[in-house]
Amino acid sequence: DSVTLADPVRALANSRVMLAFDSVRHVLDDSLYAVMATGFRADSRDSVMVIDAVRLTPTLEAMPFFGRLPQRADRTNISAGPIRIEGIDFANYIRDEALHVRLVEVDSLDLHIYSDIDMDWGPRAQPCRYHMGFRDIPIPIRLDSLRINDGSIRYSELAKGSVRPGELTFEHVNGGITNLNNDPQLMTPATPAVVSLSAKLFGEGDISATVRYPLLSPTLDFDIEASAGPMPLAAVSRFSTNVAGVEINGGELDTLWVGLESRDGQATGRVHMRYRDLDFRVLDRNTGKEKVWHSVLGFAGNVATRASNPGKPEDEPRDGMIDYSCGDKHIVFFEFFVGSLVNGLKRIVLIV
């Protein structure tokens, strides 16, 4: 009609739009990932979108995948569903090309991040920080809240000189993220995105964490407060053996608390840790064998470490102060956080 012809954008924004499809698959422009969604339904009147299942999968195995990347990045595999999106401002998106969503609820998230620290990235060694994607989104985007229900996260790191990655796993992940946006007026150091999660670390110990992260920051600026335990220390071997060549055979973690602040790649904070009967050995992380010099290192390490903290039940436990910086300006978020945490833990575990 004449009204629609005069202003088609306004007419569409004020109309009821309903969409549905069984499945769709799309290979991204760089051909490194394929996206597949099934059971898609959307209704502009109810401001709701539902997707039964979504998968983001790499199209190549690890080595050719990393070889094709234009700059340093992790290899990510994601599946989730169902996903329910509520409070979508369809009219604003059609009219102003600005996306505002009140709530995204994600069930059964399965996220696997593979990071190749060993690879010589050369001129492709750009910072690999997940928040940087927000400032590159070409339209204004604002997501008030994202909820995760019973998810799992697996972080695999291939350390320098290793042939197998160490794995850090989080099961039964529940929590949420608030204030996800790329508006410079709303995304500031004083009003960051806030991530609050609880999970099972290595499937063994309870963990909870809150991260405050200004998504438009050009550097590693974030705050973390996290706690974990109780759990058997041997569970950590899934990560430490392949990454550091340290196999933990025994001991109990009673409680761990870390408070960390990072500004421009300089981390400060404190680690509080109570543990008992730590037992470990040093071995070749690639063969799993213990040679003579590994035995010597292991003996020296056991002499130079505290088997328990506190040493006696009546004593106060020793805390570890974090004071960490990294000369690699391209260091990834997880690598930086682990380095900061180890910096504090050394001051607890080591006697010297």
Side-chain angles (χ1 to χ4, degrees):
D1 57 28
S2 59
V3 173
T4 301
L5 291 174
D7 193 346
V9 173
R10 181 178 180 183
L12 183 60
N14 293 329
S15 300
R16 182 181 185 182
V17 178
M18 301 176 66
L19 296 173
F21 57 77
D22 291 331
S23 65
V24 63
R25 184 178 185 273
H26 174 66
V27 178
L28 302 187
D29 291 342
D30 57 12
S31 299
L32 292 175
Y33 285 102
V35 181
M36 184 171 183
T38 60
F40 176 92
R41 302 177 298 282
D43 189 335
S44 64
R45 186 186 66 181
D46 297 332
S47 300
V48 169
M49 181 185 298
V50 177
I51 309 171
D52 289 341
V54 172
R55 293 191 66 184
L56 174 72
T57 55
T59 58
L60 299 171
E61 294 300 318
M63 288 307 296
F65 176 91
F66 288 121
R68 285 272 304 278
L69 286 174
Q71 66 179 44
R72 180 179 183 175
D74 293 334
R75 184 174 181 268
T76 304
N77 199 319
I78 304 173
S79 65
I83 300 173
R84 182 176 176 85
I85 306 171
E86 300 179 357
I88 309 170
D89 194 337
F90 285 101
N92 189 49
Y93 178 70
I94 294 169
R95 184 178 58 249
D96 301 327
E97 293 188 349
L99 182 60
H100 179 202
V101 177
R102 179 173 55 83
L103 172 65
V104 175
E105 189 158 11
V106 181
D107 288 347
S108 303
L109 170 70
D110 186 358
L111 169 62
H112 181 204
I113 301 168
Y114 185 98
S115 185
D116 191 338
I117 308 299
D118 183 57
M119 186 170 180
D120 181 7
W121 292 92
R124 297 182 297 157
Q126 301 299 315
C128 175
R129 292 153 195 170
Y130 307 118
H131 74 283
M132 288 184 169
F134 267 83
R135 67 184 182 190
D136 298 329
I137 297 175
I139 64 170
I141 183 170
R142 177 181 165 192
L143 170 56
D144 294 339
S145 181
L146 183 149
R147 283 206 301 258
I148 299 172
N149 303 318
D150 197 23
S152 63
I153 300 173
R154 178 161 56 108
Y155 172 69
S156 302
E157 180 180 303
L158 186 65
K160 293 185 184 298
S162 293
V163 298
R164 289 182 300 274
E167 293 202 335
L168 184 64
T169 63
F170 303 89
E171 290 82 19
H172 303 297
V173 178
N174 292 280
I177 308 173
T178 57
N179 194 33
L180 285 165
N181 70 80
N182 60 357
D183 185 338
Q185 302 299 317
L186 300 175
M187 182 51 58
T188 69
T191 57
V194 179
V195 182
S196 296
L197 297 173
S198 64
K200 284 285 188 181
L201 178 61
F202 296 112
E204 299 276 2
D206 293 328
I207 183 171
S208 62
T210 299
V211 184
R212 294 174 174 83
Y213 211 137
L215 298 178
L216 301 184
S217 171
T219 61
L220 279 170
D221 297 340
F222 61 88
D223 298 335
I224 291 182
E225 183 174 345
S227 62
M231 62 179 287
L233 287 170
V236 181
S237 279
R238 302 176 199 175
F239 187 77
S240 65
T241 300
N242 290 340
V243 171
V246 177
E247 181 183 77
I248 301 175
N249 298 311
E252 292 292 327
L253 172 67
D254 295 324
T255 183
L256 170 71
W257 178 90
V258 56
L260 184 153
E261 175 184 285
S262 173
R263 296 294 181 269
D264 194 20
Q266 174 70 44
T268 57
R270 181 171 65 91
V271 180
H272 175 86
M273 182 182 182
R274 284 179 174 268
Y275 64 92
R276 294 170 283 121
D277 305 321
L278 172 63
D279 178 44
F280 67 93
R281 66 180 182 132
V282 180
L283 46 75
D284 187 305
R285 57 189 173 185
N286 293 328
T287 65
K289 296 180 179 179
E290 185 178 14
K291 299 179 181 179
V292 174
W293 69 275
H294 291 120
S295 299
V296 174
L297 283 176
F299 174 77
N302 277 287
V303 170
T305 57
R306 291 180 175 84
S308 300
N309 186 46
K312 298 178 180 178
E314 63 272 17
D315 293 343
E316 286 295 318
R318 180 184 179 91
D319 286 353
M321 303 308 296
I322 297 171
D323 185 8
Y324 178 78
S325 61
C326 180
D328 180 6
K329 64 181 179 180
H330 301 132
I331 190 170
V332 299
F333 172 81
F334 277 110
E335 186 184 5
F336 181 82
F337 174 67
V338 171
S340 302
L341 180 60
V342 170
N343 178 264
L345 290 175
K346 285 180 178 178
R347 292 175 165 88
I348 296 175
V349 176
L350 296 181
I351 295 174
V352 293

